[in-house]
Amino acid sequence: RHGDRRRCCDRQRQAAANGVSVATYDLVIVGAGVAGMAAALAARRAGLRFLVLEAAEAFSTIANFPRAKPIFTYPTAMVPEGELQVQATVKEALLAELQQQTLATGITPQVARVERVTRAGDELVVHLAGDRELRACRVIIAIGRSGNFRRLGVPGEDLDKVSNRLHDPRDFAGQQVLVVGGGDSAIEGALALAEAGAKVTLSYRQPQWSRPKEENLARLAA
């Protein structure tokens, strides 16, 4: 199969070199998060004919982080491969860095929801909502896990007052809020809510913390 895809790309490049209109992309990238946009930068550097597909907006997971969410980009001595580099320590600055390095350089995702990918000979068919199709020699799936939140399976969790994502902690100033969980997201959310003026109860199923980062535990203890 790897040989089939290589032949597919070879034919596309030869057709393009001969001035023939090419309908098949060298690469289709599904997802415009950090991984997908990093792949797009690499594809552009390699001279590939590529397309980025995104169901919502570029970096939507980060854009939906709570306001002023702290970002951990350590170990700081490690420099990732590729063009996409970040130094920001809070959500808003990180989003600006990512947009500056991708969207501002002309890499614009196409808004479309991918339903499945199938094979047709030595090509891959990307099926989009609305019975549309795209063809590619290769496909990168970079959709992450946004939206696949865990549920408790208890009565009442479908009520309007229950949320699986925190956007702006200031919306809960003066309110009583229960945060369920013991990882970084739960602790960061609880801290942000408390700092915004909410009365917060943090519920965790274990007698002690075991997963959060040391920085978050230090803030929680303080």
Side-chain angles (χ1 to χ4, degrees):
R1 289 184 176 179
H2 178 72
D4 291 342
R5 291 194 291 272
R6 179 174 294 172
R7 287 192 294 272
C8 169
C9 289
D10 288 343
R11 286 201 303 271
Q12 301 306 314
R13 294 192 184 97
Q14 186 60 49
N18 293 334
V20 178
S21 177
V22 179
T24 300
Y25 289 93
D26 292 320
L27 174 66
V28 167
I29 301 166
V30 183
V34 175
M37 295 299 263
L41 288 170
R44 184 175 64 180
R45 185 173 65 249
L48 300 181
R49 183 171 181 266
F50 70 93
L51 179 66
V52 182
L53 301 174
E54 168 57 47
E57 61 176 321
F59 307 113
S60 59
T61 298
I62 296 173
N64 285 314
F65 280 165
R67 177 181 173 273
K69 172 181 167 61
I71 303 297
F72 297 94
T73 54
Y74 63 77
T76 55
M78 183 186 73
V79 179
E81 291 288 340
E83 297 178 44
L84 201 57
Q85 302 290 325
V86 296
Q87 286 81 40
T89 58
V90 293
K91 163 201 166 175
E92 289 76 10
L94 174 62
L95 193 58
E97 278 187 350
L98 294 172
Q99 292 172 338
Q100 182 63 33
Q101 295 177 66
T102 55
L103 301 177
T105 67
I107 295 181
T108 305
Q110 176 179 316
V111 178
R113 181 172 295 278
V114 176
E115 297 185 335
R116 65 188 187 281
V117 179
T118 59
R119 176 172 295 283
D122 57 4
E123 295 180 344
L124 296 171
V125 182
V126 181
H127 300 268
L128 310 178
D131 294 326
R132 293 186 297 149
E133 294 181 353
L134 295 172
R135 290 181 176 257
C137 298
R138 290 179 174 85
V139 175
I140 291 178
I141 305 296
I143 56 176
R145 297 185 62 187
S146 178
N148 295 330
F149 50 81
R150 296 177 62 184
R151 298 176 65 86
L152 295 174
V154 298
E157 65 180 332
D158 293 322
L159 296 175
D160 291 340
K161 65 180 179 180
V162 179
S163 174
N164 297 100
R165 174 169 284 169
L166 175 64
H167 292 284
D168 192 338
R170 295 175 299 182
D171 294 339
F172 299 91
Q175 299 185 39
Q176 295 189 29
V177 183
L178 170 66
V179 177
V180 181
D184 286 308
S185 295
I187 289 180
E188 290 169 10
L191 289 168
L193 287 161
E195 292 166 356
K199 182 178 180 181
V200 184
T201 299
L202 185 57
S203 173
Y204 183 44
R205 60 185 173 178
Q206 302 294 338
Q208 60 186 12
W209 312 108
S210 60
R211 295 180 293 147
K213 297 180 178 65
E214 292 182 4
E215 292 91 332
N216 281 334
L217 291 177
R219 291 180 60 210
L220 186 63

